[in-house]
Amino acid sequence: MEHIRMPKVENVRLLDRLSSRRAVVGTLYLTATHVIFVENGSETRKETWVLHSQISSIEKQATTATGCPLLIRCKNFQVIQLVIPQERDCHDVYISLIRLARPVKYEELYCFSFNPKLDKEEREQGWKLVDLNEEYNRMGVPNNYWQISDVNRDYGVCDSYPTEVYVPKSATAHIIVGSSKFRSRRRFPALSYYCKGNNASICRSSQPLSGFSARCLEDEQMLQAIRKANPGSDFIYVVDTRPKLNAMANRAAGKGYENEDNYSNIKFQFIGIENIHVMRNSLQKMLEVCELKSPSMSDFLWGLENSGWLKHIKAIMDAGIFIAKAVAEEGVSVLVHCSDGWDRTAQVCSVASLLLDPYYRTMKGFMVLIEKDWVSFGHKFNHRYGNLDGDPKEISPVIDQFIECVWQLMEQFPCAFEFNERFLIHIQHHIYSCQFGNFLCNSQKERRELKIKERTYSLWAHLWKNRADYLNPLYRSDHSQSQGTLHPQIAPCNFLYKFWSGMYNRFEKGLHPRQSVTDYLMAVKEETQQLEEELEVLQERLANLQKSQSGNNKVKSKQQDRSKQFGLYTSNNSLANTPQEYSNDLKSFPSRSPSQGDEDSALILTQDNLKSSDPDLSANSDQESGVEDLSCRSPSGGGCLPSEDSGKDSDEAVFLAG
Amino acid sequence: MEFAELIKTPRADNVVLHRPFHLAVEGTLCLTGHHLIFSSRRHDNAEELWLLHSNIDSIDKRFVGSLGTIVIKCKDLRIIQLDIPGMEECLNIASSIEALSTLDSVTLMYPFFYRPMFEVLEDGWSSFLLEQEFELLSSVTNEWRLSCVNKEFSVCPSYPPVVIVPKSIDDDALRKVALFRHGGRFPVLSYYHKKNGMAMLRSSQPLTGTNGRRCKEDEKLVNATLRTGRRGFVIDTRTLTVAQQARAKGGGFEQEVHYPQWRRIHKYIERFNILQESFIKLVEACNDQSHNMDRWLSKLEASNWLTHIKELLTAACLAAQCIDREGASVLVHGSEGTDSTLQVTSLAQIILDPRCRTIRGFEALIVREWLQAGHPFQQRCAQSAYSNSKQKWEAPVFLLFLECVWQIHRQFPCSFEFNEQFLIMLFEHAYASQFGTFLGNNENERAKLKLPQKTMSLWSWVNRPEELSRFQNPLYEANSLVIWPSVAPQSLQLWEGVFLRWNRPSRFLEEAEEERINIIKYNKELQARVNALRRRLAELEAEDEEVQEE
């Protein structure tokens, strides 16, 4: 609280990014956890809530006659442009936000004050939803080849690893410790995924400290042990996910990659995924493209290409495809590493697992996957996503890229995933929101020290509770796409990598399809389920009636009018929209009759949901019910509402503005 | 001419067919007058491939020893490869295919020989008559009339015999106006917006020339569509510079002095060879099997195809906006008024008119705004993206229109009665078909060719219930509103269904579509069963009550 210099500013204007002249006036509040903008106007009082932890940058722009503009960019890709009348107020808000957006200790984060009104038991249950022991058992370990090792039980060997790791049975503690000393940050090879069908496995580690010629007997034995754990194959792949040049450069620093000559029966392979700095810049460039005001098609495509973003996504996907193929088709085990083995390695292992095992394509399985490959193996969430104030060079959209890979796969295999796009978007949001404790800190060790499970809530339980919102209507557990390995194509003309506007232009609803097939089908399925229930009741009543007809036993129950109850998806409200600015030529043209009938825009006014961001995500004051009016949930909901049209005089603005 | 003369080797055995995403199959290749037929009976599942010669865009042959290989590139963008043993056979077959796929005479085309195997329930040639349209129009307004001034195609050779014009303009005036417009294409009604009584007209450019010629009748005609005191918009699909240059060749544009109630907007839409080149480049990019993402994106960008899509959609939205939002009448034209003009007027109707988003309404739109309006299909669709020969009048104008419809469809997936397959089917038939619908360049040519008498209409086939069911969008719910698409680059995508159709494994997407259909179907079945049960229960309960009362 001491950081808030200015808790409230009035007469602030919130600009629409797509049309600078369409602005709304309201009051800006700074609270300990949120920036809140409340629109003036008696009826709607639309609110925009932004968590401090979502703020990635704040920019104070040159003061103009109308006030002092403040540009807030968020990690969930929302961009908010405010104009504050007084320069001094603006400065105070700016200084306050700079501090609020960069907390210095974990205790300042929202998850420590966030209270979803669950009791202790519910909280504990929530944390138990995803259980990695259960997961390894599901995979089929421990077994004859793999065992759990307690060598790291006090984080004594590797402080960024979990306490419980699976290693080949023949790998003794001596071998593990020896190998760990030969690996960056002592991240020794450990099991990530085991394929029950053919004993092939995916293991992960960091780079070896091989320099130009160093060797380590235990490390060689460790890789040998991994090979032996797969008796069907006489070699293993060692996949270095870095570009060869980077790996070679590391040798000069006493690090590097495996020399095939020193290890018996390995096949070494570079994959060429760029490092976190390249990825950070690439995202930056792509977001610049997204922020362009009315870009031409060439501007956009050129910018997209120039950002290299899709190239990087493809590189990660290709690596995953390579590994999945090795495991599933060749039955060969793979050891994956990059430098430290916590970024690219996590991406690639999780993409491969997702391709290999249909379980990870279910909602629960996906949570498990993130927990397994990312959270437990010490992906540095705090550093990468800037939860606490830290080195900006550590920040990089590593897990964002993985999430995008999943989305690209969902586009190619529409029936293969139990969850929908919204699930991915909400996970991405919460990785940055710090509303739940799951992604705090850089390692399991740190989380245990902070007593995360006692002090915060689990995102997984929250998502699970609302799972109806996240279902993919096309998914059936008995469908062929939800069985076995996925085999995506590699060439861009066979596997179209698309720009994900649902993510990167998430808050520009006007750019998205105005009708959601997913929501429509979910509504139909919900109705179908209720019809099934009713059918059963009716059949029973009929049977009773027929039985009792002789006895004149009258069964009466209230008739339900289904058609009224389920009018929801027949509504056309979702279509209400208005034209964009298709031409500048119209603007000076004055003739517009006020009597003109505007049925389509009139419908906009019936929308009661005018929140600019999902209340759930923007952490509304009422956490629980907030989820219920997710603006994009039902097909008749406001999700299809183009953001620029949420005002009353929507269509007027199109012409008179600009 | 006998086709047999062109077929030197009618049949070859042990031919191997290669297609992307299919295993190679061995079989027999047969050539007939209009088809290339490949059949394989070796496997349990006998397979047949029938390819219309007219669908073949280009053919390459090469030899390795005595094994010849023919690569056939089709107008629907598919590429197949045939390995034919024997050099002579291969050469013969290649030259036959080349000859048969490039027949000059329209009357030798397959539609003149095709005998349908289905019962004709409705003759598609008379399914969509302008008279019917006019009847509908008459029920809401009496400001328009049907004119037969072009009965003999003498006033405008590329117009249909009947057109809808303002009631106050008589045929004599129309004749004068025709002389003032390129190709005689005087302004006619394209669309009447019932909601506010505004009209969309289309025409060709006025022949003002360098000395600013004017035509009072033309001015009177267009002004007759305006409400008193209101203005209209002329949407010229050329840039101002191009329009100005056109004056030197006798063309021109409506000048403010003579058309004071009209405001002119130049909204450039790409045309002719530039479009065709863009099409060729795009298809080439889509066939590039390279794994390099940069290369793919840069080729996609360099093709400019999506730029054309964006420009066209923007122009159509603008026209729709003028009518619906500004409450103004609109006149659309470019130079000839047979290409970009029709793209704009027909897309604007998709946006404005819910009827055009139904199957029959869309068919009617194509008949009215493309076929009857004189889009030269035969010239534009003579060759597709693989053609080696020098282009003359080819341009993917219609394909671009279909893709724009697809883009809008993608943004409003529940507002169209038809599905993507319907659009793809129209693309295929515009380029090669057993039906006569897309033959000829205008109604005049079609009448001369006696197409309605000698060929079958595509609509006779499509509108049969069996066929229709394949083209229905399971998600459709009639939506009476105007639908405004987003034209931002982030909202537009490559039309995979056409451009990557043969280059992507389609199974997963087809399965998804099947799933969608099943979800809806099951829901409807349940609905019906529940309703039936409810009725039955109500009856029984009523009986019950009667029994009790007695």
Side-chain angles (χ1 to χ4, degrees), chain B residues 375-513:
Chain B
H375 173 66
F377 275 99
Q378 195 162 312
Q379 291 181 347
R380 298 288 178 264
C381 301
Q383 300 271 263
S384 174
Y386 297 126
S387 162
N388 303 322
S389 56
K390 204 175 167 315
Q391 334 151 1
K392 285 168 279 191
W393 300 291
E394 290 84 3
V397 178
F398 186 60
L399 173 61
L400 206 66
F401 157 73
L402 291 176
E403 173 162 349
C404 286
V405 176
W406 176 81
Q407 300 281 1
I408 303 174
H409 195 299
R410 213 185 65 80
Q411 295 186 27
F412 294 89
C414 306
S415 299
F416 288 81
E417 194 191 3
F418 49 87
N419 59 16
E420 179 182 5
Q421 293 310 314
F422 187 65
L423 298 172
I424 297 174
M425 179 273 296
L426 289 170
F427 158 63
E428 288 179 333
H429 283 278
Y431 278 86
S433 177
Q434 65 269 46
F435 303 106
T437 300
F438 292 106
L439 291 182
N441 290 309
N442 49 51
E443 292 297 273
N444 189 5
E445 288 186 24
R446 286 183 198 104
K448 280 184 191 148
L449 288 166
K450 294 197 171 52
L451 290 179
Q453 294 81 37
K454 292 188 170 169
T455 73
M456 179 61 57
S457 161
L458 172 67
W459 316 123
S460 306
W461 171 72
V462 169
N463 288 330
R464 300 166 69 249
E466 306 81 310
E467 301 304 329
L468 271 185
S469 66
R470 285 172 35 224
F471 299 124
Q472 263 149 359
N473 173 12
L475 309 178
Y476 175 63
E477 292 207 359
N479 166 15
S480 59
L481 303 177
V482 175
I483 54 176
W484 300 106
S486 160
V487 296
Q490 289 99 315
S491 308
L492 304 177
Q493 279 184 7
L494 176 71
W495 192 8
E496 289 176 73
V498 163
F499 295 104
L500 301 183
R501 182 179 177 193
W502 312 101
N503 272 337
R504 60 169 186 182
S506 54
R507 201 185 97 213
F508 310 112
L509 303 174
E510 280 161 17
E511 283 172 352
E513 180 63 12

Side-chain angles (χ1 to χ4, degrees), chain A residues 314 476 481 492 494 511 514-515 520 527-528 532 534 541 562 575 577 582 585 596 600 651 655, chain B residues 263 265 267 290-291 321 324-325 411-412 414 477 479 484-485 491 503 511 515 522-523 534:
Chain A
K314 181 178 172 352
R476 265 193 292 122
Q481 284 184 43
N494 304 139
L511 299 179
R514 306 306 166 91
Q515 294 174 315
Y520 179 89
E527 190 201 44
T528 300
E532 275 171 343
E534 195 191 347
R541 269 175 56 199
R562 286 280 165 200
L575 293 175
N577 66 350
Y582 298 117
D585 300 318
Q596 188 186 331
D600 43 352
D651 63 281
F655 302 105
Chain B
R263 192 189 144 93
I265 301 175
K267 203 80 193 172
S290 144
H291 291 184
Q321 196 175 341
D324 187 66
R325 293 302 163 123
Q411 295 186 27
F412 294 89
C414 306
E477 292 207 359
N479 166 15
W484 300 106
S491 308
N503 272 337
E511 283 172 352
E515 208 54 43
Y522 180 54
N523 176 276
R534 265 200 235 138

Side-chain angles (χ1 to χ4, degrees), chain A residues 289-290 295-298 300-302 304-305 308 310-311 314 411-415 473-474 476 479-481 489-494 496-499 501 505 510-517 520-521 524-525 527-528 531-532 534-535 538-539 541-542 545-546 549 552-557 559-560 562 569-572 575-580 582-583 585-586 588-593 596-601 603 651 654-655, chain B residues 21 195-196 230-233 263 265-267 285-298 300-301 304 306-307 310 313-314 317-318 321-328 410-415 474-494 496 500 503-505 507-509 511-512 515-516 519-520 522-523 526-527 529-530 533-534 536-538 540-541 543-545 547-548:
Chain A
V289 176
C290 295
S296 74
M297 202 73 212
S298 291
F300 178 74
L301 285 176
W302 189 85
L304 190 61
E305 181 198 341
L310 288 176
K311 179 175 74 183
K314 181 178 172 352
E411 289 285 295
Q412 301 294 320
F413 300 95
C415 307
L474 300 179
R476 265 193 292 122
H479 196 280
S480 65
Q481 284 184 43
Q489 297 294 319
I490 299 207
C493 72
N494 304 139
L496 190 63
Y497 286 84
K498 296 173 196 159
F499 168 74
S501 68
N505 284 118
L511 299 179
H512 304 163
R514 306 306 166 91
Q515 294 174 315
S516 155
V517 174
Y520 179 89
L521 288 176
V524 171
K525 281 185 101 163
E527 190 201 44
T528 300
L531 282 170
E532 275 171 343
E534 195 191 347
L535 193 68
L538 287 173
Q539 276 165 340
R541 269 175 56 199
L542 189 69
L545 201 62
Q546 281 165 336
Q549 194 109 62
N552 274 345
N553 211 346
K554 209 167 85 179
V555 188
K556 262 223 156 164
S557 77
Q559 277 272 356
Q560 284 177 302
R562 286 280 165 200
Y569 68 88
T570 55
S571 158
N572 277 322
L575 293 175
N577 66 350
T578 49
Q580 303 184 324
Y582 298 117
S583 168
D585 300 318
L586 285 180
S588 53
F589 199 57
S591 88
R592 192 178 177 284
S593 139
Q596 188 186 331
D598 273 327
E599 310 134 36
D600 43 352
S601 63
L603 273 170
D651 63 281
V654 174
F655 302 105
Chain B
F21 301 104
K195 195 165 121 189
N196 59 10
R230 303 295 296 271
R231 291 212 266 186
F233 287 95
R263 192 189 144 93
I265 301 175
H266 291 273
K267 203 80 193 172
C286 292
N287 283 320
D288 183 343
Q289 297 291 328
S290 144
H291 291 184
N292 186 322
M293 180 64 77
D294 284 348
R295 184 159 146 180
W296 159 253
L297 285 174
S298 96
L300 181 65
E301 196 262 318
N304 265 328
L306 286 169
T307 299
K310 181 168 153 57
L313 268 176
T314 308
C317 288
L318 180 67
Q321 196 175 341
C322 291
I323 293 170
D324 187 66
R325 293 302 163 123
E326 294 292 305
R410 213 185 65 80
Q411 295 186 27
F412 294 89
C414 306
S415 299
L475 309 178
Y476 175 63
E477 292 207 359
N479 166 15
S480 59
L481 303 177
V482 175
I483 54 176
W484 300 106
S486 160
V487 296
Q490 289 99 315
S491 308
L492 304 177
Q493 279 184 7
L494 176 71
E496 289 176 73
L500 301 183
N503 272 337
R504 60 169 186 182
R507 201 185 97 213
F508 310 112
L509 303 174
E511 283 172 352
E515 208 54 43
R516 281 190 277 272
I519 289 170
I520 306 277
Y522 180 54
N523 176 276
L526 272 184
Q527 197 107 52
R529 281 173 62 193
V530 165
L533 260 185
R534 265 200 235 138
R536 173 105 182 87
L537 261 175
L540 278 177
E541 275 170 348
E543 272 173 40
D544 216 26
E545 261 165 56
V547 172
Q548 277 199 340

Side-chain angles (χ1 to χ4, degrees), chain B residues 197-231:
Chain B
M198 293 302 134
M200 180 160 58
L201 307 175
R202 55 175 158 75
S203 69
S204 58
Q205 62 177 342
L207 303 175
T208 55
T210 38
N211 49 12
R213 222 179 111 210
R214 67 187 283 196
C215 169
K216 288 261 170 61
E217 287 78 6
D218 189 81
E219 292 157 23
K220 200 176 150 212
L221 195 168
V222 294
N223 288 338
T225 67
L226 296 177
R227 293 279 148 84
T228 30
R230 303 295 296 271
R231 291 212 266 186

Side-chain angles (χ1 to χ4, degrees), chain A residues 233-297:
Chain A
S233 159
D234 48 15
F235 70 97
I236 65 169
Y237 283 111
V238 175
V239 172
D240 189 328
T241 56
R242 299 168 293 183
K244 190 172 180 183
L245 223 63
N246 301 19
M248 283 167 69
N250 263 301
R251 289 201 298 189
K255 300 165 187 173
Y257 52 93
E258 289 81 357
N259 182 342
E260 278 190 353
D261 300 337
N262 297 343
Y263 293 83
S264 47
N265 308 315
I266 67 163
K267 283 193 183 167
F268 187 84
Q269 181 88 35
F270 284 114
I271 293 255
I273 301 172
E274 298 292 347
N275 64 26
I276 57 167
H277 312 295
V278 174
M279 300 306 192
R280 180 179 55 244
N281 292 335
S282 170
L283 178 65
Q284 187 53 41
K285 279 187 188 162
M286 185 176 72
L287 292 179
E288 278 163 21
V289 176
C290 295
E291 272 192 49
L292 288 177
K293 267 190 184 171
S294 53
S296 74
M297 202 73 212

